[in-house]
Amino acid sequence: MARRPGAEEERPWGLAEHGRLGKRKVVGVVVLDGWGEAPPDPFNCIHVADTPTLDALKKGAPERWRLIKAHGTAVGLPTDDDMGNSEVGHNALGAGQIYAQGAKLVDLALDSGKIYEGEGFKYIQQSFDTGTLHLIGLLSDGGVHSRIDQLQLLLKGASEHGAKRIRVHILTDGRDVLDGSSVTFVETLENDLAKLQEKGVDARIASGGGRMYVTMDRYENDWQVVKRGWDAQVLGEAPHKFPSALEAVKKLRDDDPKANDQYLPPFVVVDESGKPVGPIVDGDAVVTFNFRADRMVMLAKALEYEDLDKFDRVRFPRIRYAGMLQYDGELKLPSHYLVAPPEIERTSGEYLAHNGVRTYACSETVKFGHVTFFWNGNRSGYFNPNLERYEEIPSDTGIPFNVQPRMKAVEVAEKARDAILSGKFDQVRVNIPNADMVGHTGDLEATIAGCKAADEAVKIILDAIEQVGGIFVVTADHGNAEDMVKRDKSGKPIRDKDGNVQPLTSHTLNPVPIAIGGPGLAPGATFREDLPDAGLANVAATLINLHGFEAPRHYEPTLIQVSPVPF
Ligand SMILES: O=C(O)[C@@H](CO)OP(=O)(O)O
Ligand SMILES: [Mn+2]
Ligand SMILES: [Mn+2]
């Protein structure tokens, strides 16, 4: 959404009181990660799972339960074919406005060619004469963290703007796209690089690994993941060495069933003498080409910070580094970037802090930044440390999430319960990760167990809200567990000749539910009926209302209406 520059400063922070909704009611906000709505079917794990709490919300009060959009243009993505994701989902939930998101901004900058005129590109360009340009990122067309077509354009553009030696360090996906698709993406990239070679550019893939095992950790859950990537990308060292990335991906997948696209072990590409073809050395330029922040922040720190005690980097090359975007607005990380990130301003969290609302937010590590950093418009830290408290429960590390599908759902809910009962907070906000994190493994049975645990967690929170006479809002950021199979155009699961289906590990295009209630909710408060196309961005105004304030005028409209109740 375009806004006048400078208009921000003029606007006051104080919010008018809501005529019909009172202040100081505790509002419990639950974001069920990856919890979409889809027709009942054996591959709808939410439907199959035992979820009495969520079922009761849906059936109990139809005027206080509805669906909202969580994908595509409703959350600022380029098209309505783009599935939702946590970054754009929580940004919209927290900000109350729809911003053109990273994916879209990068598209625009590449289309117009402006990317090559910006400070970030000019900065890395200084290395092109004598150094190598390294591109590190997720190789797929998932559109959640990156897109291969953007990488292709960047490769072409960089070579036209002087890059003579290019090395790509790939991270295979299998999470936003089907497992096994890495092979095709590597083929596509190798073709492109061969074309550049014909034009005299020395361009190759230099290293790789699966996104969940190499590089793309988040919220400092496990620095070893970043170290594995560093060793391959920077030092040129990995347990597996191959003459080409295509061979690497095929062989590693064939040799070990656990080495799927998400968890492929790190490898380096070597020349005939066994030397790595593309370690990162002094004088080189590096671009991390993911536009999404969470899973690039740790690598950005390793590439940019002179001092880092999280793992032994062995060598800290003097490079020129730029992110595709700036990933953290508060830390200004990285300091150079090719495309300016969306300026997500005046989020609900900031408004509420200015209006004295005390907030508690909690999740386990893998989603902790979702209800804090993403919710607050990709800002780390507090708006007002006297009014806010964020708590993180450590996630399991070193195991895929289908092994412990209950994750820390109950622990997070118990923290929320305690915060609600403490009387110290007005908003208590959590993210319950199971449907998403377990859904991404493609393991149906585990996902069903995860959804059940998530439902139990919601019950703990709703019971606490009941006890204090508060209000609850239960919603989700995008779909995942409600559809776990690859389908044909008509929606039927695709089966191979042996009758097997391929699990769908990705998010979906489905809408998500939102339910409101609790003893503190004004009896006349119901969902409006004039907003059939509402989406996640309409939630922030709703929350502000439930805290007893009118929402800012520039927010997407509230979902609720409050009619006077006759005596
Ligand atoms: O795990 C992630 O990084 C994404 C999928 O790529 O999921 P979410 O948006 O739910 O965090
Ligand atoms: Mn999510
Ligand atoms: Mn997810």
Side-chain angles (χ1 to χ4, degrees):
M1 182 178 290
R3 284 169 302 121
R4 269 186 308 129
E8 296 308 326
E9 291 69 44
E10 297 155 21
R11 231 183 254 148
W13 282 103
L15 295 171
E17 287 188 13
H18 194 284
R20 291 189 172 145
L21 294 170
K23 286 197 208 157
R24 289 268 178 247
K25 294 261 166 58
V26 187
V27 182
V29 184
V30 180
V31 181
L32 292 163
D33 213 293
W35 192 285
E37 177 78 5
D41 143 326
F43 298 99
N44 178 340
C45 290
I46 295 173
H47 163 72
V48 176
D50 189 21
T51 54
T53 314
L54 268 294
D55 294 350
L57 292 181
K58 181 173 178 180
K59 289 190 203 107
E63 67 295 342
R64 289 176 169 186
W65 184 99
R66 64 164 291 170
L67 295 174
I68 48 177
K69 287 188 179 172
H71 81 288
T73 51
V75 287
L77 291 169
T79 75
D80 284 337
D81 294 329
D82 292 305
M83 60 195 165
N85 71 71
S86 291
E87 179 177 53
V88 300
H90 286 78
N91 282 170
L93 285 167
Q97 304 148 81
I98 302 166
Y99 287 93
Q101 287 285 350
K104 176 92 189 263
L105 299 173
V106 173
D107 283 344
L108 293 172
L110 283 165
D111 277 358
S112 64
K114 289 223 170 85
I115 198 165
Y116 307 110
E117 291 158 23
E119 184 279 331
F121 190 81
K122 295 248 152 78
Y123 171 68
I124 57 161
Q125 206 172 16
Q126 296 170 54
S127 293
F128 289 179
D129 271 346
T130 50
T132 301
L133 168 63
H134 299 266
L135 301 170
I136 308 175
L138 183 66
L139 185 70
S140 81
D141 63 2
V144 173
H145 293 268
S146 68
R147 285 211 328 263
I148 187 172
D149 61 316
Q150 295 180 344
L151 170 64
Q152 291 173 303
L153 288 174
L154 186 60
L155 278 167
K156 186 165 172 283
S159 64
E160 285 165 4
H161 288 81
K164 300 182 185 70
R165 192 166 185 273
I166 302 178
R167 293 292 179 264
V168 188
H169 303 266
I170 63 164
L171 300 162
T172 53
D173 191 345
R175 189 172 176 91
D176 303 326
V177 291
L178 292 176
D179 183 46
S181 59
S182 61
V183 176
T184 314
F185 291 121
V186 170
E187 275 167 352
T188 306
L189 178 59
E190 286 194 337
N191 271 332
D192 280 31
L193 297 175
K195 279 188 208 131
L196 285 180
Q197 281 157 16
E198 282 164 23
K199 290 191 187 141
V201 183
D202 172 8
R204 303 190 62 171
I205 299 178
S207 77
R211 58 177 283 177
M212 295 303 283
Y213 193 60
V214 176
T215 299
M216 281 175 62
D217 187 43
R218 64 179 165 204
Y219 308 141
E220 311 213 353
N221 193 41
D222 183 2
W223 275 96
Q224 288 305 305
V225 176
V226 183
K227 176 182 162 33
R228 279 179 212 115
W230 183 271
D231 290 352
Q233 296 141 2
V234 178
L235 308 178
E237 288 167 13
H240 302 279
K241 299 182 173 58
F242 287 94
S244 81
L246 189 59
E247 264 177 68
V249 172
K250 284 185 176 163
K251 184 104 191 4
L252 290 171
R253 283 183 55 87
D254 284 349
D255 285 358
D256 177 0
K258 281 208 273 340
N260 57 18
D261 286 353
Q262 295 192 58
Y263 284 90
L264 211 68
F267 65 87
V268 290
V269 176
V270 293
D271 64 16
E272 303 75 44
S273 64
K275 252 183 51 207
V277 301
I280 300 175
V281 299
D282 287 356
D284 285 352
V286 176
V287 170
T288 47
F289 64 83
N290 286 14
F291 42 73
R292 173 159 151 176
D294 56 347
R295 295 191 185 275
M296 278 293 119
V297 164
M298 292 164 77
L299 173 59
K301 286 182 179 168
L303 288 167
E304 185 145 316
Y305 290 172
E306 182 86 44
D307 296 314
L308 184 87
D309 57 7
K310 305 299 184 183
F311 68 97
D312 182 5
R313 286 177 291 186
V314 181
R315 194 161 57 70
F316 181 58
R318 301 284 144 195
I319 53 168
R320 291 192 177 86
Y321 165 49
M324 182 65 107
L325 258 71
Q326 185 168 61
Y327 301 125
D328 187 324
E330 204 60 37
L331 300 177
K332 305 265 174 276
L333 181 79
S335 43
H336 300 273
Y337 45 91
L338 303 187
V339 177
E343 280 177 53
I344 305 178
E345 295 292 347
R346 300 183 83 94
T347 62
S348 61
E350 193 163 9
Y351 268 110
L352 291 175
H354 277 282
N355 287 275
V357 172
R358 303 159 303 167
T359 296
Y360 174 88
C362 176
S363 190
E364 62 172 276
T365 312
V366 291
K367 298 287 181 186
F368 176 65
H370 289 34
V371 271
T372 56
F373 172 79
F374 285 156
W375 188 276
N376 293 332
N378 295 4
R379 258 178 218 92
S380 43
Y382 293 117
F383 293 111
N384 180 343
N386 298 323
L387 293 174
E388 291 158 282
R389 178 139 171 250
Y390 298 163
E391 222 172 333
E392 175 183 341
I393 310 270
S395 285
D396 295 322
T397 52
I399 46 161
F401 289 96
N402 54 338
V403 177
Q404 300 270 25
R406 296 182 60 81
M407 301 181 67
K408 302 289 182 243
V410 167
E411 288 86 338
V412 170
E414 286 173 348
K415 284 281 183 192
R417 175 198 62 201
D418 295 348
I420 291 165
L421 299 181
S422 74
K424 292 187 191 146
F425 300 101
D426 306 303
Q427 181 174 117
V428 173
R429 182 169 77 229
V430 297
N431 177 300
I432 306 290
N434 311 61
D436 182 67
M437 293 301 288
V438 191
H440 280 305
T441 66
D443 179 335
L444 266 79
E445 215 174 301
T447 306
I448 293 163
C451 293
K452 181 169 185 289
D455 189 83
E456 288 170 26
V458 176
K459 172 141 184 9
I460 293 170
I461 295 167
L462 298 197
D463 285 350
I465 288 292
E466 186 72 32
Q467 230 177 302
V468 299
I471 299 170
F472 64 78
V473 176
V474 179
T475 190
D477 60 342
H478 53 77
N480 184 335
E482 82 287 359
D483 191 10
M484 294 287 298
V485 73
K486 188 171 182 226
R487 295 172 190 275
D488 65 17
K489 286 223 170 67
S490 73
K492 272 221 240 51
I494 299 174
R495 294 187 186 272
D496 66 15
K497 54 181 186 334
D498 305 318
N500 299 321
V501 296
Q502 180 156 22
L504 188 76
T505 54
S506 69
H507 300 166
T508 68
L509 303 172
N510 289 320
V512 298
I514 179 166
I516 53 169
L521 185 60
T526 56
F527 283 132
R528 295 161 58 162
E529 277 164 14
D530 58 342
L531 294 171
D533 289 327
L536 296 178
N538 297 78
V539 174
T542 313
L543 286 176
I544 289 177
N545 288 169
L546 295 175
H547 283 291
F549 299 100
E550 292 289 357
R553 277 216 307 278
H554 64 288
Y555 269 33
E556 294 296 318
T558 180
L559 295 168
I560 53 171
Q561 59 191 5
V562 191
S563 48
V565 179
F567 290 101

